[in-house]
Amino acid sequence: MGIYHIFIVSKSGGLIFNYDHNIPQLEYEKTYSYPLDIKLRFENNRVTVVFGERDGVCVGHVLLTVNGQPLNYDKLPDGRDVFEFLEERENYPVNLKFGKAKITTNEKIVLASMFYPLYALAVQLSPEQGSSGILELEADTFKLRCSQTLTGIKFIVVSDLKQAGVDQLLDKLYELYADYALKNPFYSLEMPIRADLFDEHLQVAIDQIERTGFI
Amino acid sequence: MTVHNLYIFDRHGTLLFYHEWLRRKHTSMSKAEEAKLLYGMIFSLKSFVNKLSPTISKEGFLSYKTSNYRLNFYETVSSLKFILNTDNETNQTEIRELLHGIYTQIYVEYAVKSPMVNPGEVITSNLFRNKLNQYVQSSSIFKTH
């Protein structure tokens, strides 16, 4: 519900600020008996479901906990390999929790840098004269809105499809950036933003927009 | 309410078909290069959307909007990709229906069922082009200035 992520991308394409708000964490916990009919594989440093979708567990979900204990990449906290653990009959019935993998900071940096050329390509591939870059990107589960300033800074807000007033939030973000990041004498341009006042006021703005739908 | 152009790509990224109705700006590269660039952009956008989505998404990337145009994307289960550029005022549900209609009523009928059209090759059939033109122009979205 509401706002999921906020990113600020600098003129050179690097991520200088990111903020995660209410991301719905949908997790599916179930007790399984031998043999396990969900096929798992170790991909991208995580144990992922590759086959055997059922009861809400989809392909792409990641194994989060085994019998209540969170996984350490592909090992259980006591050091045993999870695949070997799941092979043995005597370990069943086992309680497994699946969910979508949480996005790491490194991935966010990569995504922000990926968005930058995509924005520029939208201008190049335009069938009309004088097009801007991507202003809104719509998917089936979220909507991304981007506003680029005259100096090349991009403010990106990822929200749910029904969230209203995001354009005002983008303008408000620019205002807060100008007030609490740029006017901060210790802040250097293009560097990550680390200002408490910026975070506080951002939080207030987001709460206001989620509650009332406008600022 | 205008439709600018349409691209159809197969699962390997080959441009199967291109048609334009109203296009005021052309890129400085050849058709093949532009197609590859567009396919690459779509591929990156799909992966971007997949990573960023808060829950597992069924359809993924649907469209993006700029100040002048909107790019609409429709992918079938066989990884056939339809990319339609329209203007910004057009209703989204109508466009999705149009794209779905282009796939079921035009592509399946006149490209898949045609013995002259081979999978993986550019569609040169005039019948396909005419039927497509007829279908798009008769839809409620299409209006010439």
Side-chain angles (χ1 to χ4, degrees), chain A residues 4-5 7 23-26 58-61 100 103 107 111-112 114-115 118 121-142 144 158, chain B residues 2 4-5 22-27 29 34 37-38 40-41 44-45 47-70 85 92:
Chain A
Y4 297 141
H5 299 277
F7 300 106
I23 305 162
Q25 264 302 95
L26 286 167
C58 306
V59 172
H61 272 145
K100 188 161 203 281
I103 183 170
E107 285 178 340
L111 285 179
M114 211 200 290
F115 185 73
L118 293 174
L121 278 174
V123 180
Q124 231 190 16
L125 292 168
S126 161
E128 285 272 19
Q129 298 280 15
S131 172
S132 76
I134 298 177
L135 294 177
E136 259 180 50
L137 189 146
E138 199 167 313
D140 58 345
T141 50
F142 71 91
L144 179 150
V158 178
Chain B
T2 36
H4 293 124
N5 49 8
L22 183 68
R23 184 175 183 176
R24 298 195 190 97
K25 172 179 166 290
H26 290 83
T27 55
M29 42 188 130
E34 181 186 292
L37 190 62
L38 183 65
M41 178 168 96
S44 303
L45 274 170
S47 148
F48 179 81
V49 164
N50 194 19
K51 285 261 171 64
L52 202 54
S53 169
T55 53
I56 302 280
S57 58
K58 287 230 115 44
E59 289 175 37
F61 169 60
L62 293 174
S63 76
Y64 75 67
K65 184 174 109 163
T66 73
S67 59
N68 290 10
Y69 75 100
R70 174 171 232 128
N85 289 331
Q92 291 255 65

Side-chain angles (χ1 to χ4, degrees), chain A residues 8-206:
Chain A
I8 304 182
V9 179
S10 73
K11 191 171 57 162
S12 43
L15 185 66
I16 58 176
F17 182 76
N18 87 82
Y19 177 72
D20 289 343
H21 197 59
N22 273 331
I23 305 162
Q25 264 302 95
L26 286 167
E27 289 163 355
Y28 303 92
E29 193 163 4
K30 220 175 95 82
T31 315
Y32 293 92
S33 55
Y34 190 81
L36 188 67
D37 48 2
I38 298 180
K39 181 96 182 68
L40 299 166
R41 199 189 292 166
F42 190 57
E43 271 176 9
N44 293 336
N45 285 335
R46 291 195 185 104
V47 181
T48 7
V49 174
V50 288
F51 190 77
E53 276 191 13
R54 50 180 281 203
D55 305 327
V57 179
C58 306
V59 172
H61 272 145
V62 147
L63 182 57
L64 298 170
T65 69
V66 173
N67 289 333
Q69 300 170 324
L71 286 182
N72 179 13
Y73 295 124
D74 64 339
K75 305 248 182 300
L76 295 164
D78 52 11
R80 281 179 296 170
D81 185 78
V82 70
F83 290 104
E84 286 168 13
F85 182 82
L86 290 171
E87 289 288 307
E88 274 138 59
R89 187 184 272 269
E90 59 261 14
N91 293 323
Y92 287 83
V94 71
N95 193 336
L96 299 174
K97 197 198 293 193
F98 294 94
K100 188 161 203 281
K102 225 170 172 314
I103 183 170
T104 66
T105 314
N106 274 342
E107 285 178 340
K108 283 186 209 150
I109 295 176
V110 171
L111 285 179
S113 307
M114 211 200 290
F115 185 73
Y116 181 78
L118 293 174
Y119 184 94
L121 278 174
V123 180
Q124 231 190 16
L125 292 168
S126 161
E128 285 272 19
Q129 298 280 15
S131 172
S132 76
I134 298 177
L135 294 177
E136 259 180 50
L137 189 146
E138 199 167 313
D140 58 345
T141 50
F142 71 91
K143 196 166 190 175
L144 179 150
R145 256 168 275 231
C146 174
S147 138
Q148 181 173 257
T149 69
L150 288 166
T151 49
I153 309 270
K154 289 179 198 39
F155 295 94
I156 299 167
V157 174
V158 178
S159 65
D160 104 353
L161 291 166
K162 297 188 202 62
Q163 181 65 43
V166 183
D167 296 322
Q168 289 161 309
L169 178 64
L170 284 166
D171 290 336
K172 183 76 181 164
L173 267 177
Y174 189 20
E175 207 186 288
L176 293 174
Y177 171 73
D179 285 339
Y180 301 108
L182 294 179
K183 289 181 189 168
N184 181 352
F186 300 110
Y187 176 69
S188 11
L189 276 174
E190 318 275 288
M191 288 284 114
I193 299 172
R194 302 235 189 286
D196 294 329
L197 281 176
F198 182 74
D199 295 333
E200 271 172 40
H201 281 84
L202 178 68
Q203 188 65 51
V204 169
I206 296 180

Side-chain angles (χ1 to χ4, degrees), chain B residues 11-112:
Chain B
R11 62 192 311 155
H12 303 294
T14 336
L15 179 67
L16 297 177
F17 186 77
Y18 171 73
H19 190 86
E20 63 183 50
W21 286 272
L22 183 68
R23 184 175 183 176
R24 298 195 190 97
K25 172 179 166 290
H26 290 83
T27 55
S28 52
M29 42 188 130
S30 73
K31 177 64 29 67
E33 276 181 46
E34 181 186 292
K36 281 201 198 106
L37 190 62
L38 183 65
Y39 187 79
M41 178 168 96
I42 295 295
F43 189 84
S44 303
L45 274 170
K46 279 181 13 150
S47 148
F48 179 81
V49 164
N50 194 19
K51 285 261 171 64
L52 202 54
S53 169
T55 53
I56 302 280
S57 58
K58 287 230 115 44
E59 289 175 37
F61 169 60
L62 293 174
S63 76
Y64 75 67
K65 184 174 109 163
T66 73
S67 59
N68 290 10
Y69 75 100
R70 174 171 232 128
L71 182 139
N72 304 283
F73 177 69
Y74 180 84
E75 187 173 10
T76 68
V77 266
S78 48
S79 296
L80 190 70
K81 299 172 181 55
F82 290 82
I83 295 164
L84 189 74
N85 289 331
T86 61
D87 68 354
N88 272 325
E89 282 75 44
T90 327
N91 184 307
Q92 291 255 65
T93 33
E94 276 177 32
I95 298 184
R96 294 220 52 84
E97 279 168 22
L98 179 71
L99 280 167
H100 184 72
I102 292 177
Y103 173 57
T104 48
Q105 290 166 41
I106 311 294
Y107 184 80
V108 169
E109 291 298 317
Y110 300 103
V112 176

